[in-house]
Amino acid sequence: MIELRNIVKTFKDDKEKEVEALKNVSITIGDSEIYGIIGFSGAGKSTLVRCINLLEKPTSGEVKIDGVDLLKLSHKELRSERKKIGMIFQHFNLMPSRTVFGNVSFPLKKSGLGKKEIQKKVRELLNLVELSDKENAYPSELSGGQKQRVAIARALANDPKILLSDEATSALDPQTTESILKLLKHLNEKLGITIVLITHEMDVIKRICSRIAVMENGKVVEEGDVFDIFANPKHSLTKDFIKTTSNLYKLDEILKDDINGISPADGEVLTRLTYIQKEVSEPLISTVTKKFDVDLNILLADVEIVSGSPVGGTVVKFSGESIKIDEAIQYLRDRHVGVEVIKDARNPY
């Protein structure tokens, strides 16, 4: 388990002025969890993750791995603990003069393993990341995705319990990003390794993470289960991130353009319906139509699986008797469906 308690980190800028990069941050990450940290550049997310292995030493606070406070260890003890923490980076950080085999074997130089044991281990790791045929290739001969796979194999060389991923997919194209995320998920399931994943892309978070922390200006502004965050975001920054991954929020742009058929006619109510809990088994739209004698016209839909459950929803127009529309909306809310009224074109009654 990773425990960061009341982490403060201050730097001095070029003018010797103190800058507070982290402001009393506390998070707990469970064993074998894939935990995402998201924020824009300068939010403090990379600084926070580098505090886990003390590449950045906090100004104050506690950094505990399995109950051991790393800040209280000697240099020798810290070196030993760091072997339990692997790290991969956006730009791979491979040694260009070494082959793939040489890059992956480098962390094992002082491991005490014999030559044959190192060969066996490196080849097992290359097989794990599906690069067995690239053992003798140099980094310059590899694609971006292959370089990142080499970096992942190297990070796993000392059998770490924790893998830190600092924007590891940011330099990759969408297809390669997908393959690397699948690999990380596979490693998490196969090895039980805890992964802490930093990104500025919400799409990356929803694909493999179980929990998430949203950072802004050195603080965690929202934290929770990925499904809950996507289904019912609280902070404005979180909502902005989610808008980048959901077609439901393109409605705002469509309404600005006043496209025919989208804006509600007199007596209609334009709404956005979203899932806000994991189990919604009742066919709610058909039920509401029959139960309250209202018409629901579906304009947009965007539903996908996050953490094993549907998240997203639909944009619909209600039409019918005004009081029946109100009853239908309340019925949906009572059944844990989020109902956001975008435009209400009814006359008062």
Side-chain angles (χ1 to χ4, degrees), residues 40 202 214-217 219-223 228-229 232-243:
F40 291 117
M202 206 64 169
V214 183
M215 292 193 69
E216 183 180 40
N217 297 324
K219 296 180 179 180
V220 173
V221 297
E222 189 161 1
E223 184 188 21
D228 294 335
I229 294 290
N232 193 23
K234 302 287 194 304
H235 195 274
S236 59
L237 178 63
T238 313
K239 292 176 183 178
D240 287 343
F241 273 122
I242 290 173
K243 285 179 182 179

Side-chain angles (χ1 to χ4, degrees), residues 90-149:
Q90 178 179 355
H91 297 297
F92 323 126
N93 291 3
L94 300 180
M95 292 173 282
S97 62
R98 290 178 176 266
T99 63
V100 167
F101 185 97
N103 270 277
V104 177
S105 65
F106 186 76
L108 299 171
K109 286 179 68 175
K110 296 183 179 180
S111 64
L113 295 177
K115 185 177 179 179
K116 288 187 177 180
E117 291 173 305
I118 289 176
Q119 286 179 339
K120 181 174 182 290
K121 183 156 196 172
V122 170
R123 284 167 182 158
E124 286 174 350
L125 289 169
L126 291 177
N127 183 59
L128 187 62
V129 300
E130 300 178 348
L131 282 181
S132 296
D133 60 333
K134 298 295 182 181
E135 178 179 320
N136 296 313
Y138 286 88
S140 61
E141 301 172 303
L142 304 178
S143 67
Q146 289 170 333
K147 289 176 185 177
Q148 196 57 280
R149 287 173 180 267

Side-chain angles (χ1 to χ4, degrees), residues 15-244:
K15 298 179 180 179
E16 292 297 305
K17 181 181 178 181
E18 278 200 349
V19 177
E20 200 171 20
L22 296 174
K23 304 170 183 176
N24 204 42
V25 176
S26 296
I27 60 173
T28 300
I29 302 170
D31 290 338
S32 302
E33 186 172 10
I34 303 181
Y35 188 94
I37 301 176
I38 191 168
F40 291 117
S41 296
K45 56 189 187 297
S46 290
T47 302
L48 181 63
V49 164
R50 287 164 182 259
C51 285
I52 293 175
N53 58 3
L54 296 194
L55 285 180
E56 293 284 358
K57 187 175 180 180
T59 305
S60 62
E62 296 180 342
V63 179
K64 292 184 177 181
I65 308 294
D66 292 333
V68 176
D69 191 342
L70 302 192
L71 290 165
K72 294 181 179 179
L73 299 180
S74 66
H75 290 301
K76 183 178 179 181
E77 291 170 331
L78 180 57
R79 281 197 301 272
S80 177
E81 286 296 318
R82 275 180 170 157
K83 290 181 180 180
K84 301 176 184 178
I85 307 171
M87 193 164 191
I88 54 176
F89 305 88
Q90 178 179 355
H91 297 297
F92 323 126
N93 291 3
L94 300 180
M95 292 173 282
S97 62
R98 290 178 176 266
T99 63
V100 167
F101 185 97
N103 270 277
V104 177
S105 65
F106 186 76
L108 299 171
K109 286 179 68 175
K110 296 183 179 180
S111 64
L113 295 177
K115 185 177 179 179
K116 288 187 177 180
E117 291 173 305
I118 289 176
Q119 286 179 339
K120 181 174 182 290
K121 183 156 196 172
V122 170
R123 284 167 182 158
E124 286 174 350
L125 289 169
L126 291 177
N127 183 59
L128 187 62
V129 300
E130 300 178 348
L131 282 181
S132 296
D133 60 333
K134 298 295 182 181
E135 178 179 320
N136 296 313
Y138 286 88
S140 61
E141 301 172 303
L142 304 178
S143 67
Q146 289 170 333
K147 289 176 185 177
Q148 196 57 280
R149 287 173 180 267
V150 176
I152 291 170
R154 181 183 60 187
L156 297 175
N158 283 311
D159 302 315
K161 296 180 61 178
I162 298 165
L163 180 63
L164 308 180
S165 171
D166 190 357
E167 298 277 11
T169 60
S170 295
L172 305 175
D173 62 74
Q175 185 176 4
T176 307
T177 293
E178 178 70 17
S179 71
I180 293 299
L181 293 178
K182 285 182 178 179
L183 174 60
L184 291 175
K185 182 70 172 176
H186 172 69
L187 295 174
N188 168 259
E189 293 172 348
K190 182 179 178 66
L191 305 177
I193 192 169
T194 302
I195 298 176
V196 184
L197 190 152
I198 296 177
T199 184
H200 61 272
E201 300 173 276
M202 206 64 169
D203 192 58
V204 169
I205 293 288
K206 74 182 179 184
R207 287 179 185 275
I208 67 168
C209 295
S210 55
R211 287 195 305 129
I212 174 181
V214 183
M215 292 193 69
E216 183 180 40
N217 297 324
K219 296 180 179 180
V220 173
V221 297
E222 189 161 1
E223 184 188 21
D225 178 89
V226 167
F227 178 89
D228 294 335
I229 294 290
F230 269 85
N232 193 23
K234 302 287 194 304
H235 195 274
S236 59
L237 178 63
T238 313
K239 292 176 183 178
D240 287 343
F241 273 122
I242 290 173
K243 285 179 182 179
T244 66

